[in-house]
Amino acid sequence: DNRRPASESVIVATKILPPYDHESISNSVSDCLKRLNIEAIDLLYLHRWDSSLLNPEVFSSLGNLVEKGKVRMLGASNFTSEQFRKAVGLQKEKGFPAFRFIQNNNNLAVSDISEDLIAFCDEQDISVVTYSPLRAGFLTGKHSRGVQPGTRFEIIPGVQDIYFNEKAYKRLARLQLIAG
């Protein structure tokens, strides 16, 4: 077996998408371990909320992966405060391994980190990780004349509505004024 453990100074994190069921979760983790040639995923994020998370069997499957040492820690990504509270409540109620991280979008134009979410995470000793500080160049002014060809905004057009709106443009203008 030539699979290597992750370095002590590096945390290997990855995400899985719904559907969240025993087979999909197990297959996603096994495939990831093989692709990365590692023994365990340090941090496994559930990429987004899905109603299947209301099924305790999902958390049982995740717990089995933790118990077997294939996953060391669990996290959630792109959950609202309400969704995260539901999931954490179910984990606690059933005695499953708890989320230790939440990862949501957070930058000057758009933030999915609410005060309620921060307070809840503080209470539960859950770390908050953010992503997209410059949002694929939106906050650098790269797209001030519209979506640039070949960029993430062109490839994933659904994300455009989140950024290309009056509120986000006002925040960008303010940032540019201050930075200038």
Side-chain angles (χ1 to χ4, degrees):
D1 187 5
N2 65 351
R3 294 197 293 178
R4 61 191 188 284
S7 165
E8 290 180 21
S9 62
V10 174
I11 292 176
V12 175
T14 191
K15 296 179 182 178
I16 59 173
L17 287 165
Y20 302 126
D21 58 56
H22 176 74
E23 184 177 354
S24 297
I25 292 169
S26 182
N27 289 342
S28 291
V29 168
S30 292
D31 291 347
C32 182
L33 293 172
K34 287 175 191 167
R35 273 192 313 274
L36 295 175
N37 193 31
I38 57 176
E39 294 174 356
I41 297 167
D42 295 310
L43 173 54
L44 178 68
Y45 284 107
L46 303 183
H47 196 283
R48 66 175 178 252
W49 172 260
D50 186 79
S51 61
S52 62
L53 293 173
L54 299 174
N55 181 347
E57 290 177 16
V58 171
F59 289 109
S60 177
S61 293
L62 292 167
N64 287 338
L65 292 170
V66 172
E67 288 171 20
K68 291 178 181 176
K70 292 183 178 187
V71 172
R72 292 192 175 101
M73 298 178 287
L74 299 174
S77 186
N78 301 307
F79 283 39
T80 66
S81 181
E82 181 182 337
Q83 293 164 343
F84 197 51
R85 283 178 183 274
K86 282 182 189 175
V88 169
L90 183 59
Q91 288 174 318
K92 284 190 172 217
E93 176 187 323
K94 302 291 184 181
F96 298 128
F99 288 126
R100 300 207 15 221
F101 295 86
I102 186 162
Q103 179 192 49
N104 281 6
N105 189 7
N106 186 47
N107 57 57
L108 188 62
V110 175
S111 179
D112 295 324
I113 306 285
S114 67
E115 299 225 0
D116 180 55
L117 182 63
I118 291 170
F120 178 71
C121 289
D122 281 345
E123 290 169 13
Q124 302 297 317
D125 197 28
I126 296 170
S127 297
V128 177
V129 177
T130 64
Y131 68 88
S132 200
L134 299 176
R135 190 49 192 165
F138 178 84
L139 291 172
T140 68
K142 177 179 182 175
H143 303 280
S144 60
R145 294 188 180 147
V147 175
Q148 296 301 301
T151 63
R152 181 179 261 186
F153 285 120
E154 182 185 53
I155 295 168
I156 310 171
V159 178
Q160 290 179 20
D161 295 342
I162 298 169
Y163 285 90
F164 294 86
N165 60 61
E166 186 177 340
K167 184 177 179 180
Y169 274 124
K170 282 183 180 179
R171 289 180 174 173
L172 174 59
R174 180 159 163 67
L175 173 63
Q176 290 172 327
L177 180 66
I178 292 168

